[in-house]
Amino acid sequence: MTGDVKRVVLAYSGGLDTSVILKWLQTTYGCEVVTFTADLGQGEELEPARKKAEMLGIKPEHIFIEDVREEFVSDYVFPMFRANAVYEGQYLLGTSIARPLIAKKQIEIARKVGADAVSHGATGKGNDQVRFELSYYALEPDIKIIAPWREWNLASRTRLLEFAESHQIPIAKDKRGEAPFSVDANLLHSSSEGKVLEDPAQEAPEMVYMRTISPEDAPDKATYITIDFEKGDPVAIDGEKMSPATLLTKLNALGRENGIGRLDLVENRFVGMKSRGVYETPGGTILLVAHRGIESITLDRGAAHLKDEIMPRYAELIYNGFWFSPEREMLQALIDKSQELVTGQVRVKLYKGNVDVVGRESPYSLYNQDLVTFEEGAVAYDHRDAQGFIKLNALRLRTLANRNKLTGG
Amino acid sequence: MTGDVKRVVLAYSGGLDTSVILKWLQTTYGCEVVTFTADLGQGEELEPARKKAEMLGIKPEHIFIEDVREEFVSDYVFPMFRANAVYEGQYLLGTSIARPLIAKKQIEIARKVGADAVSHGATGKGNDQVRFELSYYALEPDIKIIAPWREWNLASRTRLLEFAESHQIPIAKDKRGEAPFSVDANLLHSSSEGKVLEDPAQEAPEMVYMRTISPEDAPDKATYITIDFEKGDPVAIDGEKMSPATLLTKLNALGRENGIGRLDLVENRFVGMKSRGVYETPGGTILLVAHRGIESITLDRGAAHLKDEIMPRYAELIYNGFWFSPEREMLQALIDKSQELVTGQVRVKLYKGNVDVVGRESPYSLYNQDLVTFEEGAVAYDHRDAQGFIKLNALRLRTLANRNKLTGG
Amino acid sequence: MTGDVKRVVLAYSGGLDTSVILKWLQTTYGCEVVTFTADLGQGEELEPARKKAEMLGIKPEHIFIEDVREEFVSDYVFPMFRANAVYEGQYLLGTSIARPLIAKKQIEIARKVGADAVSHGATGKGNDQVRFELSYYALEPDIKIIAPWREWNLASRTRLLEFAESHQIPIAKDKRGEAPFSVDANLLHSSSEGKVLEDPAQEAPEMVYMRTISPEDAPDKATYITIDFEKGDPVAIDGEKMSPATLLTKLNALGRENGIGRLDLVENRFVGMKSRGVYETPGGTILLVAHRGIESITLDRGAAHLKDEIMPRYAELIYNGFWFSPEREMLQALIDKSQELVTGQVRVKLYKGNVDVVGRESPYSLYNQDLVTFEEGAVAYDHRDAQGFIKLNALRLRTLANRNKLTGG
Amino acid sequence: MTGDVKRVVLAYSGGLDTSVILKWLQTTYGCEVVTFTADLGQGEELEPARKKAEMLGIKPEHIFIEDVREEFVSDYVFPMFRANAVYEGQYLLGTSIARPLIAKKQIEIARKVGADAVSHGATGKGNDQVRFELSYYALEPDIKIIAPWREWNLASRTRLLEFAESHQIPIAKDKRGEAPFSVDANLLHSSSEGKVLEDPAQEAPEMVYMRTISPEDAPDKATYITIDFEKGDPVAIDGEKMSPATLLTKLNALGRENGIGRLDLVENRFVGMKSRGVYETPGGTILLVAHRGIESITLDRGAAHLKDEIMPRYAELIYNGFWFSPEREMLQALIDKSQELVTGQVRVKLYKGNVDVVGRESPYSLYNQDLVTFEEGAVAYDHRDAQGFIKLNALRLRTLANRNKLTGG
């Protein structure tokens, strides 16, 4: 509890849970609620959220609805993909990367409307509360934060529904019962967790997947596409230039049809426990593979290996909610520096869950056929240089070996 | 050229190239040649190599043929897989990991027969010369090394064939023409490179693949298997205990049938240029996914993230040929320490190129359903702790934010 | 507050603060208090602590006093020094490394006497509470922890003294007033912080230093000593073998006399704020320099650089209280692996705050005068090898340079 | 040997060795020699070099002499010090950092005069040949490089002198005999190695030191100075603004007088062997300490720790000669990003070899006395938050501990 609150900006989806939070904030804190609803590409209409907010007593000028899809992709998703970021070797960070943007928008609105607090609907056991709140604090250090799921006594579904009913909050029929799992979605991915997924020994049921058809149901014939990159970011599909969000939407459609981007993972949360999630990142999965493909011919080895070494740290920072931190920005500076000539075209084959690079070309390619060919007469490479290279690399190993003879080692 | 040589141990495959080398060593150095032929699971008969060596004048007691498959898998492949090692994010290091073992065997034979030199058939532009020679030097610092491809004047196919003919070396019919690409194979993988693969913009032709059927040709129905792990290593498939090499052989068969483990990659060689290779690692690809699966429930977050961070360095060391180096051994000590309780069972779905973990269980699981559940009453976790956790994690960010106000930043 | 407590093991120094805690635990929790007082080399008599505990009503069989100096140095200090661990480039971790041992002893006693809780006297703003409690939890996950400084209302000096008086706790005369700074000490170091040190722009007053004379007061003539190392640990000074704690005590005396080991530092606490501390680590400072000296001739470059790269992470783990964590143990395995032949003798010059290695020798030295000499005829090194070495290292840079010509870059 | 050469730009000091090289290039390659002599602050007059070059037949328009001290300090030394770079924990990289600048100047001159080759006087066993040549290649990939020490037969002192005499190269009297050690110097440091220093068990004789008086001879009274920093670089001493080179010169004088910056080190060369060097970096040693001081209050923990972790890699790159590489530039981008508010003043005490920060202040200080004080009522910090912080940090350790009970571990 954070004391007296006059006006609070709530991250509001229009769904049952955040509607209950809205009402709970009004009744518990006696404060004015300002709602922010973002179109992050989650695939839901936003206007119903406006109507519901109005119905729950929010003044029209305090209802903020914004389509942030282009900003999301160009300023958050693409910078992250420049790093080939994956958490724990597999997770493409679809939820993690959306939270800082929502938090930033809430803080901007709080400044605009003179709110002294912000609130979100993330639970007390998850990573999202951390991501929201670290972002709030990093942007507005004295903001008050209300995290209802950590405060209230509505933790059971029954009590939540009772509260909703007693406050005339409409409840969709399919929300009466327990949802079999919980979902987060945006233009980059959908995630599902909880309930039917809680036993990691059991295969995730097909009904969990909502954004991809199964590889089994995907076409029997491969789809080939080309993706153009400029400075590390995708700019065109099959030669057609597109805005960031349009491009990702197109990749999502291609991924969906070909059963691409499913992941069933047990991961380590920042708050200390393991959890099991099912992720679908159809377009992002294609993008990661394609980006590695264009890097493979345009990035120097030294640059590429340095990127690979710092990547786990970078991904961990995003996962843990430290997008707005000096260390993330320092790593971003390093990564962006490397992408200046990551420009060119990658051809990708999509087939029943598989994404494979089958061709790459670039005006800035570092691949040199003359250097690598088995034929005689190659320029710039003298076979005899290899001997010196090996001998000096071996020198310390030979010195060690001589010592080991002393020790019988 | 390394001066006077009396007796040299040659890594001998029985093929045309190493047969030419054998003869070239005899004629150029006037030295006695000792052959070593290893069964690393490359899928070729070894007895023809013995006959060919005899025919080329090698004394029977100087012909060494050994089945090293079990040693290869248990002492090289499995330790590497404990690290989830991939080079440049993708390559499973199938060739790299075999070289140190061959080198070690050559040095052991050199000691046994009193040889003062070793020789190999790797070219002067590749990584394998480095891997062989760093291993030789690390094990026997004063050994002489003869690398014919860096020394001789037989660099063109024509001259090589002329030399073979003039020395009565039999030439298989299909070796008359230029091979359309060159191949390395062992129990872990096959690699192909050169010629038809040299243009990275062109898709690799299907004929390049020899160890896997294409995903398109794989069964329309998924195959499910379970893999048991003990201390980080696989020990059983579908409950049946197997020796390391037997197990990998079985996984290879499963991978082959399901079109698993193909990789078309432009990579950075240690000797400084980019090259394009096609790799097939059917069993290894399954193993990597399954190992990550068992780790996901048995490895602590701190251990897992540390492993992820050092992995690129570890993989680079193996790729570059530093298996027998203090730093690789130090990293191995770190990795092995983490695997003590990486024990349990993983269920994997194989389908047309895809490998997906669909279940994991372990007597040492760190996954705790009570901790993660959305329900009330969970033990050991107080929602209110999250607030303190977030606030102290945010403290420095808030301090930064207050400073930024000073700077208008 | 952690609910019902029956018996609590308190880390008890015998001083005013922990005596107040002792009484506060009895009166607040109505529980039985068990005291643990350790001789870590802090330089205080322990028997007064026994008498005071008895006077405060602790049963004799519940008063535990132990000399843990040898265990402290051999199992905590020396392993840490094998890593050359310094936090933020400078701090030798003298306080951090003592906390896990105290915590471990408390847990052992708790098991012995059937206690259900432990308690410590660390404040709510510092790192020590974290170090104690992470260690408690890592060793005994369900232990209850009482941290009085976070719970009680005795935060001001006045209230604390009132409580002491009202409970007949004797107050030493010099404790009546506010101490001008607070101190922690053990065999490795003394630290001072707070009050007169809180302004980082002001030089620390000389009176803060208690364990070293000032460089200005140190002898005008240098002292030379030799230190013998075995497997990375010091075992003898000037040829005289000593136990770990005896050796460190001797180094402390040498450091003290020569004004060695003072550090005035602004550091970053794990709990999120910056603090300013003054540290004195006389023997440890000598040891760090000497250990680097013996490593300089016995550690291979690959091993040394890997150690340097992981060191900051290792030091951070200790500073943050994660001694008993898998990742610290994994790093320790890596470090210990490197120390197997770190054996030999270092000669060190001590002079008015300076510690300089002036000589090093080892039966396992990797320094090879023949290799390095400018003279002709050196073995194992052919000048011409350097050309190949450089040319292959340069190959990727030349490829980059050719590309840059394309871009006008 | 690099084939036909028409015109070569030689890094020419005017000393005996490079004069011999000059003549040897003329006679061996029959090419035109262009000389480049840089004032890097090595403390020698440059005009004698001009006269000597003229005397040896170099055309006046082919004699290039340049004072590069300001460029050296502002574009090489200061960027490196932003990283707190030390190689192998101790060496301040004084020689390493000068080589890329000399190489760059040679390449620029080569372009201007249409030279097809460059040459340097570094030996075939050292790091400098690598640093020169990697820089040459990185800037001008097709340049020819002549490294006389790797090619000629003048490796002994006697033969070198004979060659000089037979070619009328004047030999200073003190160059007749063998120098007791060899020296490199610039504005950042002097290094000495070889001969009398080759036995690492023997203390370096006092005569080796040329740039600092001994701590024993330094004043008995401390000198206090303040250094002002802006964005990570020093800009003023005792309030007086100075250009980069002037400032470093001033710090050198202060360091010299106070016996500061001596280092006797056994280090690992990139070419594979260990060598022993004596370094004097008086001003740089002060600068390193002061820079850490200003960072201690202006850098956030996340930024500081990330810098510490990547530093060894950054230093290794500079040491190995990879200044002009993508990975060094990427790391520089990361480092520079962190320095934007590293602005303020540090007070430093200099005394007989010791450099100690005694005060630091900054308009951008992150040190917050209110946060750290022991007193009640501090803002922004609630003691109870610490409990939640600890409990969530401990959660995974407790889970591990519960598992360990299963295993009896």
Side-chain angles (χ1 to χ4, degrees), chain B residues 24 213 255:
Chain B
W24 180 87
I213 63 172

Side-chain angles (χ1 to χ4, degrees), chain A residues 88 124-125 141 198 264 269 274 299 301 305 316 327 349 352 354 360 367 371 381 396 398, chain B residues 88 124-125 141 198 200 264 269 274 299 301 305 316 327 352 354 360 367 371 381 396 398:
Chain A
E88 301 193 338
K125 281 187 166 180
E198 282 188 7
D264 173 348
R269 289 192 185 157
K274 289 183 182 290
L299 260 198
R301 184 184 70 201
H305 290 200
E316 185 184 69
E327 60 272 32
K349 176 186 173 188
K352 282 186 178 286
N354 298 281
R360 19 357 217 166
Y367 180 90
L371 271 178
Y381 192 93
R396 65 181 181 93
R398 297 171 76 183
Chain B
E88 300 191 339
K125 282 188 166 179
E198 282 188 7
D264 173 348
R269 288 190 185 159
K274 289 183 182 291
L299 259 199
R301 182 184 72 201
H305 290 201
E316 185 184 69
E327 60 272 33
K352 281 185 178 288
N354 298 280
R360 15 5 212 164
Y367 180 90
L371 271 179
Y381 191 92
R396 66 183 182 92
R398 296 171 75 183

Side-chain angles (χ1 to χ4, degrees), chain D residues 79 82 314 323 328-337:
Chain D
R82 284 175 216 145
Y314 176 87
W323 180 264
R328 204 277 309 169
E329 289 167 5
M330 288 162 65
L331 288 168
Q332 195 72 54
L334 178 152
I335 292 159
D336 290 355
K337 177 80 186 160

